[in-house]
C-alpha cells in the first residue's frame, strides 16, 4: 500500500509532522522530489530536528528511508544530516539512495547565487541551494547520476566536458572564478565515499516491497502552488510537487498510490516572491507569524520570516484537486485560538468578477481576496483527542473550509507533536 503525503499550498503546511506520525505504521518512507532547499521541522522524543534531505521517517528504527531518483541529492548535506541525528541519540537509520538520483554539484550552488545576484531585484527569492541549476542540468542532460561516481574513467571525461561549458559562463556571464577539473574530481571521489554505503537499485527494491505488501509513504516537499506546471509559474520550484510525480521520482507504478493525504495549514504562509492573494501585513501578520507553527513561521532552511495570510479556499481547493486528494490533513489549527474573529478567503475578484477557481499567473496577480469572517473559539485546543470535544466555533471553521475546498478533512493537527492529532 503506497500513500503520499503532499502539500496543498506553498509548502510549510506541516507535512513533516504528518509523515512522521504516519511513519509509525509504515515500512518505507521515500523522498521523491526537491532537494535541500526546503525543510521539515519535526518534534519528537529525541528533540527538535530540521530535516532537509532525509525523509521524516528516520526517527523510527523499523523504517527504511529512501532518497529517490527524483531528488536533487546534496551528498555532503545528507552525510552531515545523518551524523547530526545520530549524535542526538537517534538509532542509526537504514537509508537507501537511488543509484539514479542526480547529484547537486558544488557549482550548482554557486550558479544559483550568481544568477540571483545577476537578477537583482527581479530575483526568484531562491534559497540558493543549487536546485534550479541542478534541474536545468538534469534536463539539459549534463547532470551526474550517483551511479556515475563509480566509473572513474567515464566520470573524468564527463567532468572535463561539463567544466569547459561551465567555465565559459562563469567567465563571460558572471565574471567569477572558473572551475578546476582536478579539484572537482577530488570532491566527487569524496562524495563517492560518503554515499557508497547507501546506494541501491531503488525501483527494484520497491517493486519487491510492494509485492510483499509493505506500507510505503511518499513524502512530498513544498506544495501544489510551487509545482512547475500547475503552480504559480515562474515563482515555483524546479521539480514537480504533485503526488503523481511520486511514481516517477521513486520509480513505482502510478496505480500503486492508493491514498493521497494533502496537508493544508489552518492559515497561509509562503516564502519567496509571487502572488499571494490572502496575504496580510503589519502587526496582524507579525502576530500570526510569531504564534505560528512551533516557535514561529520562519524558514527551516534559511530562517527568513515567512509571508503570512488567512486561509485561502480558492488556492486550497485547487491545491487539493491537483494532488488527487483522498484525505485532507488540516494542521496548526491550535495557533488560531487567540483570534476573536478569523477571516477566510472564499473567492478571488479578478477584473470585477468573483471566482472560486484558481487562475493562471497573470490573472492571479490581479486577484483581490474576498473574505468571509468566522467567529474564533478563543481557547487552547491542544490536547483534545476527539472531534466532538473541539469547541463549536472551531468545528464550524473546519466544516466551513471542508465544504468550500470539497475534500474530506479526516485529520486535524492541534499541536506539533506526534500525538497531537484528532481523527475524524
Ligand atoms: P513542512 O515543510 O510542510 O513539513 O512544514 P514545516 O516543518 O516548515 O512547518 C510546520 C511547522 O509547524 C513545524 O515547526 C511543526 O513542528 C509545526 N507544526 C506542525 N503541525 C502543527 C500543529 O498542528 N500545531 C502547531 N502549533 N505546530 C505544528
Amino acid at each position: 500500500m503506497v500513500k503520499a503525503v503532499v502539500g496543498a499550498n506553498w509548502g510549510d503546511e506541516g507535512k513533516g509532522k504528518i509523515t512522521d506520525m504516519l511513519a509509525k505504521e509504515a515500512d518505507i518512507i521515500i523522498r521523491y522530489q526537491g532537494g535541500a532547499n526546503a525543510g521539515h521541522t519535526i518534534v519528537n522524543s529525541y528533540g527538535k530536528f530540521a530535516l532537509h534531505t532525509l525523509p521524516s521517517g528516520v526517527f523510527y528504527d523499523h523504517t527504511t528511508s529512501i532518497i529517490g531518483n527524483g531528488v536533487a541529492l546534496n551528498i555532503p548535506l545528507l552525510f552531515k544530516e545523518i551524523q547530526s541525528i545520530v549524535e542526538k541519540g537517534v538509532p542509526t537509520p537504514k537509508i537507501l539512495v537511488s543509484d539514479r538520483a542526480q547529484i547537486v554539484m558544488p557549482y550548482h550552488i554557486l550558479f544559483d547565487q550568481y544568477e540571483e545576484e545577476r537578477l537583482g531585484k527581479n530575483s526568484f527569492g531562491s534559497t540558493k541551494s543549487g536546485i534550479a541549476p541542478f534541474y536545468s542540468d538534469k534536463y539539459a542532460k549534463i547532470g551526474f547520476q550517483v551511479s556515475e561516481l563509480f566509473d572513474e574513467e567515464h566520470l573524468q571525461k564527463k567532468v572535463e566536458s561539463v567544466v569547459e561549458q561551465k567555465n565559459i559562463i562563469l567567465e563571460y556571464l558572471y565574471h567569477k572564478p572558473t572551475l578546476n577539473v582536478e579539484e572537482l574530481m577530488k570532491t566527487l571521489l569524496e562524495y563517492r565515499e560518503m554515499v557508497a554505503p547507501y546506494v541501491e537499485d531503488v525501483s527494484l527494491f520497491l517493486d519487491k516491497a510492494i509485492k510483499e505488501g509493505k506500507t510505503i509513504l511518499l513524502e512530498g516537499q513544498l506544495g501544489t502552488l510551487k509545482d512547475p506546471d500547475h503552480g504559480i509559474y515562474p515563482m515555483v520550484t524546479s521539480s514537480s510537487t504533485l503526488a503523481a510525480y511520486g511514481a516517477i521520482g521513486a520509480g513505482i507504478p502510478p496505480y500503486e498510490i492508493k491514498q493521497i493525504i494533502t496537508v493544508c495549514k489552518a492559515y497561509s504562509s509562503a516564502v519567496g516572491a509571487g502572488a499571494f492573494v490572502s496575504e496580510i501585513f503589519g502587526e496582524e501578520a507579525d502576530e500570526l507569524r510569531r504564534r505560528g507553527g512551533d516557535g514561529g513561521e520562519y524558514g527551516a532552511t534559511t530562517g527568513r520570516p515567512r509571508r503570512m495570510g488567512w486561509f485561502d479556499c480558492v488556492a486550497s481547493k485547487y491545491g487539493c484537486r491537483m494532488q488527487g486528494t483522498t484525505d485532507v490533513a488540516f494542521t496548526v489549527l491550535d495557533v488560531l485560538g487567540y483570534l476573536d474573529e478569523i477571516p477566510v478567503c472564499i473567492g478571488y475578484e479578478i477584473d470585477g468578477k468573483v471566482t472560486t477557481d484558481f487562475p493562471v499567473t497573470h490573472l492571479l496577480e490581479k486577484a483581490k481576496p474576498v473574505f468571509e469572517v468566522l467567529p474564533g473559539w478563543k481557547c487552547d485546543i491542544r490536547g483534545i483527542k476527539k472531534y466532538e470535544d473541539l469547541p463549536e466555533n472551531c468545528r464550524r471553521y473546519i466544516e466551513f473550509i471542508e465544504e468550500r475546498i470539497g475534500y474530506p478533512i479526516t485529520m486535524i493537527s492541534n499541536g506539533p507533536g506526534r500525538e497531537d492529532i484528532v481523527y475524524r
Side-chain angles (χ1 to χ4, degrees), residues 104-112 133 137 142-144 162-163 166 170 179 184:
V104 175
M105 304 292 267
Y107 54 79
H108 288 140
I109 296 165
L110 294 174
F111 275 90
D112 206 351
D137 278 1
I142 52 169
F144 289 82
V162 172
V163 163
K166 296 291 172 203
L170 283 168
L179 305 171
L184 192 54

Side-chain angles (χ1 to χ4, degrees), residues 11-17 39-41 43 293-294 306 331-335 382 413-416:
D12 308 315
E13 297 95 346
K15 294 176 296 295
K17 178 239 161 103
H40 292 303
T41 314
V43 183
D294 179 39
R306 292 176 181 151
T331 60
V332 209
L333 186 59
D334 51 303
V335 159
R382 279 205 196 180
S413 173
N414 57 344

Side-chain angles (χ1 to χ4, degrees), residues 10 116 119-127 225-226 231-237 269-277 279 304-307 361 364-365:
W10 301 264
E116 291 277 294
L119 292 171
K121 67 174 180 14
N122 297 321
S123 76
F124 290 95
S126 161
T127 60
L225 305 177
K226 292 284 184 181
I232 54 171
Y233 190 85
M235 298 303 177
V236 294
T237 191
S269 73
V271 291
F276 180 14
V277 178
E279 187 166 14
R304 60 185 170 176
R306 292 176 181 151
R307 298 165 68 191
T361 308
L364 182 69
E365 271 151 15

Side-chain angles (χ1 to χ4, degrees), residues 6-10 13 223-227 230-231 241-243 260-264 311-328 348 356-358 405 407:
V6 290
N9 304 101
W10 301 264
E13 297 95 346
T224 303
L225 305 177
K226 292 284 184 181
D227 184 76
H230 295 285
T241 57
L242 301 184
I260 298 173
I261 300 155
T262 303
V263 185
C264 277
F311 189 85
D312 184 337
C313 296
V314 180
S316 304
K317 179 175 80 164
Y318 175 75
C320 288
R321 172 160 67 86
M322 295 318 299
Q323 292 291 6
T325 304
T326 61
D327 295 75
V328 174
Y348 290 175
T356 61
D357 291 321
F358 194 77
I405 62 178
Y407 293 89

Side-chain angles (χ1 to χ4, degrees), residues 360-406:
V360 293
T361 308
H362 76 275
L363 293 176
L364 182 69
E365 271 151 15
K366 294 202 256 179
K368 293 188 189 66
V370 178
F371 286 114
E372 187 162 327
V373 178
L374 301 192
W377 46 91
K378 296 294 285 178
C379 66
D380 187 3
I381 59 163
R382 279 205 196 180
I384 293 176
K385 298 279 173 220
K386 285 211 243 73
Y387 187 68
E388 310 80 77
D389 294 341
L390 289 169
E392 194 188 336
N393 283 348
C394 181
R395 278 181 280 136
R396 213 198 279 178
Y397 185 77
I398 296 165
E399 287 160 27
F400 179 90
I401 284 171
E402 180 176 58
E403 198 187 318
R404 268 156 191 81
I405 62 178

